[in-house]
Amino acid sequence: MGRGTHLNREDLVELLRAGIPGPGGTWADLGSGEGAFTAALVELLGPSGQVVAVDRDRAALGRVPPPAMTLHADFTRPLELPPLDGVLMANSLHFVRRKEPVLALVHGYLKPSGRLLVVEYDVDRGNPWVPHPFSFETWKRLAVENGFGEPRLIGRHPSQWLKGLYSAVSTRQ
Ligand SMILES: C[S@@+](CC[C@H](N)C(=O)[O-])C[C@H]1O[C@@H](n2cnc3c(N)ncnc32)[C@H](O)[C@@H]1O
């Protein structure tokens, strides 16, 4: 998370809520960190849902709260995951300069009509902490070019950094 962007539990849940079709389903949170959004996802999916938190930082992964499962891995490489109803990437795709190969992998993990939810800063120029962000306008193009339906904006959260966060959902085509 960029400095100066405080999100409480309710903020986290509200950024995701309109992107979740209902209770249940199997999701992965790629670049989960310590699992702040993972926990929000677990809450929204309810007891019949399953969430796998994926991160290359083992220490962060160790703090992900149960019942989420964890997978220590690099999401730029193929992952062993069950067929997914949804993928969340919150503040993690902006670490990747060339996003197309990662989006192709994500496309492959999702069931038909599975969802991709992103939370990102609404800018196209980064800084050392957020190296390769993409605005909602850019995301609309990028998602469609990579086999997803046009993203729908589902939330915003103000920040003193980088024009604030947006959340958007799109469906695997
Ligand atoms: C800014 S944190 C965001 C954490 C959480 N999603 C959130 O929004 O609070 C970015 C996380 O993505 C992880 N990450 C970045 N690139 C990754 C990669 N290629 N594979 C796995 N994890 C990665 C980092 O280790 C870090 O935990």
Side-chain angles (χ1 to χ4, degrees):
M1 204 74 60
R3 296 167 302 164
T5 308
H6 178 72
L7 291 153
N8 61 31
R9 191 192 126 274
E10 205 171 309
D11 297 330
L12 295 158
V13 169
E14 287 314 314
L15 276 168
L16 306 186
R17 187 186 296 281
I20 311 293
T26 304
W27 284 63
D29 180 4
L30 305 184
S32 62
E34 299 180 1
F37 278 103
T38 316
L41 194 54
V42 164
E43 181 174 333
L44 287 163
L45 296 178
S48 57
Q50 278 199 318
V51 183
V52 187
V54 179
D55 208 288
R56 64 184 173 191
D57 178 343
R58 203 185 281 278
L61 216 47
R63 293 188 207 103
V64 171
M69 292 166 286
T70 59
L71 176 63
H72 179 233
D74 178 344
F75 63 62
T76 64
R77 295 168 177 268
L79 303 172
E80 293 238 0
L81 291 168
L84 297 175
D85 298 287
V87 166
L88 169 65
M89 296 194 82
N91 301 300
S92 56
L93 196 50
H94 65 223
F95 286 99
V96 181
R97 191 166 59 85
R98 280 197 60 239
K99 305 181 196 338
E100 290 80 359
V102 175
L103 292 174
L105 289 172
V106 170
H107 194 278
Y109 304 140
L110 286 169
K111 297 178 188 171
S113 301
R115 295 181 171 212
L116 173 56
L117 235 161
V118 303
V119 180
E120 276 298 338
Y121 289 96
D122 199 5
V123 289
D124 290 308
R125 285 190 62 173
N127 62 31
W129 299 277
V130 181
H132 309 292
F134 45 100
S135 65
F136 179 57
E137 277 309 305
T138 299
W139 179 234
K140 285 202 270 189
R141 177 180 55 74
L142 208 56
V144 170
E145 283 172 3
N146 287 278
F148 295 89
E150 179 154 330
R152 180 163 56 92
L153 188 71
I154 55 170
R156 285 196 180 274
H157 185 82
S159 159
Q160 67 190 110
W161 303 100
L162 301 175
K163 293 193 181 167
L165 293 167
Y166 68 91
S167 53
V169 65
S170 38
T171 303
R172 175 201 196 272
Q173 300 294 288

